[in-house]
Amino acid sequence: MSPASPFDRPSEGPTFSRVGRSYRAPLLVPKFPPEVPFGFLGRLLPTNEPVELTVEAHPIAVANALELVHGARAVAEAELAAGGNGGHTAELEVERASASELGQAVARRTQELWKVGLRFVVGASTRPQVEARRARLRERLAAIGFQSRIPRYEVRAALVPPELSATEPRPAGYWHTLPTDGLAALFPFGDETVIESGGVLLGLALSDASPVFVDRWSHASYSWGLFGTTGSGKTFAAALTLLRSRWLRPDTSVTVLDPLGEYSALVEALGGSVIRVADEGGSRLNPLDPISTFGDRREKAARVGAMMRALFSSLRDEETAELDAAVSQLYDKGPEVPTLGDLRDHVEQRGGGETRLVKLLEVFRSGSLRGLDGLTTARPTESVVSVDLRGVADDHLPFHLTYLLDWAYGRLAHQPGHKLLLVDEAHLLARHASTEEFLDRVVRHVRHFDAGLLVLSQSPDDFLARPAGRSMLRNLYATGFLRLPEVSAETRAFFGLTDAEAEWLPRARLPRETGYSESLWRVGELHLPLAIVASTPEFEFLEANFAPPSGAPEESPSAPKGSL
Ligand SMILES: Nc1ncnc2c1ncn2[C@@H]1O[C@H](COP(=O)(O)OP(=O)(O)O)[C@@H](O)[C@H]1O
Ligand SMILES: [Mg+2]
């Protein structure tokens, strides 16, 4: 279950901030050693503990930079003239010399000055742990000559995300003035955090086209989310991610829950199989098959309850209770593997006739869902499988997705190796509290089977209204935002988006305009504006195997073709 509501709000101690069981402890470095080697931060940070480093850099206009450098030189000279302040003559000499050297470099434009904001944030799930980790980080910093400082009672000011204007108040030790070389020395680390060896190419930085690789399998959660308006490129980006994931690890198995039937051709092109739910003569997945819960019949009964509520939104409380009771009894006493017809008959027996509930359940016997009444016949053995829901009535989609999620969960639990489960149009599961809770549980538990979800939906707002949805979002390691028509205050606060980011997302360019999609990714604590670009072979392969959603307007035929 998700934590109770008091845990959802960040609370602050004098030296840390806390959300639920996630503690964040900032650390600033007021004083640098006179020289730092390039890439030193990479060696400073542990690979087995979460430490976040934020470096923001703002260029200082040349005229102001020269003024600053001359000012520093004048101060050093004045102090030298006064006989050296407390015996620091040698240090002052160095300062004077480097200020004059820097002044020349700035004047020649070979160096610039930067206003640089720098902070470390240590993460842990308990307070003693976070304090211990920060203490160790301080020791390592001290060992290479950095003076560090805990922003006591200034945690909030230390933790707010960077603003583009760099004018927000920060605790002492946050801001630095550095020449280009000094800033560059901080950089190779920045590279390393987003070039994870063994990772897939997520995209190219919008700022300088540098590639960003993320290794899903090296983080605490293997699940990612992708949000964007219709036509923003979610399905394409997800398909691209699947291709790249399998390219790196060909044994990764993939399951796709495909409400609009867009992935079928791709899955078949990859040698996989497609289960077509609306296809009368096709193979069947029995929604009541307890195999998905390893024969845990009580758990199965609870999931059946959730799927029934997704289907029959008009159920009255007493009908819901009666249906739950009938389902439990069916799993207690009924056949080893019950069918939906069995459920209908059982409800009729208990109620002694044609109640409203029995009439509703008739849909499985003689109505539009009769194709689901029977034992499972689909037993795909391929490592790529999709379930195509094209042709299914809109108001039945949440129901189908729920039992399919249950089935997919069972599949993930049984298969060896790494697994991905893609759920497109996941907002369908956010319509009902019970299905949303189920999705949240799946996202939190699949990690135990070496599996990750790729959750695609139109807006994060779909999931922010309820605790289960927020819990689901919190458990996504990476979240990509493509164009969003608007960014709600809730989304902004939940994901810690800056005003500039929130204002940019409604203007992020669409693939039909540019041939690639513009996106903003939250990877752990990093915020990365990326272009999602396919290489020519990737693009050609996807284009040839991509079915536009049924009924969706055709994309403009003159759209530039995205390729490198
Ligand atoms: N990164 C991309 N590069 C090139 N074309 C893309 C890209 N993303 C999407 N497209 C194209 O744009 C159209 C809409 O993308 P789609 O993934 O279906 O959007 P969504 O799933 O968000 O509704 C598709 O025709 C797709 O081929
Ligand atoms: Mg789509």
Side-chain angles (χ1 to χ4, degrees):
M1 284 289 9
S2 60
S5 57
F7 295 118
D8 286 337
R9 277 178 268 116
S11 63
E12 240 134 78
T15 59
F16 60 86
S17 143
R18 188 187 99 170
V19 183
R21 268 176 294 164
S22 160
Y23 286 77
R24 300 180 74 219
L27 188 67
L28 305 175
V29 279
K31 201 155 186 281
F32 285 27
E35 261 183 33
V36 289
F38 280 88
F40 71 102
L41 287 173
R43 294 192 287 280
L44 191 74
L45 296 173
T47 52
N48 58 346
E49 291 176 4
V51 177
E52 168 202 330
L53 169 73
T54 307
V55 182
E56 59 170 311
H58 309 269
I60 298 174
V62 175
N64 298 347
L66 284 171
E67 221 170 278
L68 277 172
V69 176
H70 291 317
R73 185 178 165 185
V75 170
E77 274 170 0
E79 283 189 20
L80 273 174
N85 189 2
H88 292 310
T89 318
E91 215 174 294
L92 288 167
E93 288 283 4
V94 172
E95 254 176 58
R96 177 174 61 175
S98 60
S100 93
E101 214 175 278
L102 184 59
Q104 286 165 15
V106 171
R108 285 197 308 268
R109 311 281 165 99
T110 56
Q111 291 272 330
E112 281 177 80
L113 277 196
W114 299 82
K115 180 174 183 183
V116 176
L118 183 66
R119 72 164 183 227
F120 296 90
V121 182
V122 180
S125 55
T126 66
R127 189 179 165 186
Q129 202 179 24
V130 87
E131 294 291 2
R133 285 180 179 174
R134 178 162 55 186
R136 285 198 294 275
L137 177 62
R138 295 194 78 174
E139 280 166 22
R140 289 193 300 274
L141 280 164
I144 54 171
F146 281 81
Q147 217 179 68
S148 64
R149 155 168 198 269
I150 295 173
R152 191 170 289 274
Y153 295 112
E154 297 176 289
V155 168
R156 188 188 302 259
L159 287 180
V160 290
E163 290 278 353
L164 280 184
S165 59
T167 49
E168 77 275 27
R170 292 289 191 175
Y174 180 85
W175 290 118
H176 302 270
T177 305
L178 294 180
T180 307
D181 279 349
L183 174 60
L186 302 175
F187 246 71
F189 166 79
D191 265 6
E192 278 171 12
T193 55
V194 289
I195 302 195
E196 299 177 342
S197 58
V200 296
L201 177 66
L202 203 56
L204 305 181
L206 285 175
S207 52
D208 62 0
S210 60
V212 169
F213 293 87
V214 177
D215 179 11
R216 171 193 306 275
W217 311 111
S218 72
H219 299 283
S221 159
Y222 302 153
S223 295
W224 295 359
L226 197 50
F227 299 95
T229 189
T230 303
S232 61
K234 300 181 295 295
T235 298
F236 187 95
L240 193 57
T241 305
L242 291 184
L243 283 186
R244 290 174 177 171
S245 304
R246 279 184 48 96
W247 184 33
L248 277 166
R249 285 177 186 254
D251 57 338
T252 306
S253 69
V254 170
T255 308
V256 182
L257 304 187
D258 181 10
L260 304 178
E262 296 166 276
Y263 298 84
S264 297
L266 174 66
V267 166
E268 281 166 352
L270 291 172
S273 73
V274 178
I275 300 170
R276 291 182 169 81
V277 170
D279 189 351
E280 285 268 331
S283 50
R284 175 175 49 232
L285 295 167
N286 172 15
L288 300 193
D289 198 329
I291 190 168
S292 59
T293 48
F294 310 95
D296 179 344
R297 297 170 83 85
R298 187 167 300 173
E299 172 65 19
K300 181 69 193 185
R303 294 187 196 175
V304 171
M307 68 181 83
M308 292 300 164
R309 279 187 275 282
L311 183 60
F312 304 121
S313 48
S314 71
L315 282 186
R316 304 180 195 118
D317 288 351
E318 67 275 13
E319 287 168 334
T320 306
E322 167 58 16
L323 186 56
D324 284 347
V327 168
S328 300
Q329 209 174 44
L330 188 66
Y331 280 108
D332 260 3
K333 309 211 171 84
E336 185 60 27
V337 180
T339 62
L340 288 165
D342 294 338
L343 176 62
R344 182 215 160 275
D345 294 348
H346 189 62
V347 170
E348 185 176 30
Q349 271 169 26
R350 282 172 53 100
E354 279 268 297
T355 56
R356 197 181 86 105
L357 193 53
V358 173
K359 288 201 193 101
L360 285 175
L361 292 171
E362 193 56 33
V363 72
F364 299 124
R365 178 54 63 80
S366 55
S368 56
L369 294 173
R370 64 183 177 276
L372 295 178
D373 180 16
L375 297 177
T376 296
T377 56
R379 302 205 184 276
T381 51
E382 292 81 357
S383 78
V384 182
V385 173
S386 73
V387 187
D388 180 334
L389 291 165
R390 188 182 293 232
V392 164
D394 272 4
D395 54 346
H396 287 173
L397 282 172
F399 162 73
H400 283 286
L401 270 188
T402 310
Y403 76 76
L404 290 172
L405 187 62
D406 177 40
W407 164 77
Y409 183 82
R411 192 174 136 83
L412 298 181
H414 286 287
Q415 276 178 331
H418 285 93
K419 287 144 296 212
L420 283 175
L421 168 60
L422 194 163
V423 184
D424 207 334
E425 306 291 339
H427 59 95
L428 291 165
L429 289 169
R431 282 194 199 160
H432 300 274
S434 54
T435 54
E436 192 174 52
E437 279 160 23
F438 183 40
L439 178 64
D440 170 43
R441 281 217 302 282
V442 171
V443 168
R444 281 186 288 126
H445 290 288
V446 290
R447 151 103 217 214
H448 305 305
F449 327 128
D450 289 333
L453 264 76
L454 211 52
V455 178
L456 274 54
S457 199
Q458 290 169 13
S459 165
D461 292 338
D462 299 336
F463 296 94
L464 282 169
R466 282 187 282 247
R470 287 198 296 276
S471 162
M472 192 279 289
L473 293 175
R474 258 197 299 279
N475 283 290
L476 302 173
Y477 173 70
T479 310
F481 302 99
L482 300 156
R483 178 186 290 186
L484 294 174
E486 57 178 341
V487 180
S488 68
E490 291 76 28
T491 291
R492 200 180 289 207
F494 186 87
F495 293 98
L497 302 181
T498 64
D499 290 349
E501 288 167 342
E503 278 157 27
W504 178 76
L505 279 172
R507 292 182 285 117
R509 290 201 273 173
L510 296 172
R512 67 166 165 270
E513 299 163 0
T514 50
Y516 57 88
S517 41
E518 289 188 338
S519 61
L520 175 72
W521 283 81
R522 263 199 40 146
V523 179
E525 297 289 339
L526 293 173
H527 295 212
L528 306 166
L530 300 179
I532 298 177
V533 187
S535 67
T536 301
E538 285 172 329
F539 183 79
E540 285 173 354
F541 184 69
L542 288 178
E543 208 36 21
N545 294 294
F546 214 21
S550 46
E554 276 293 310
E555 300 300 338
S556 142
S558 63
K561 294 303 173 205
S563 57
L564 283 174

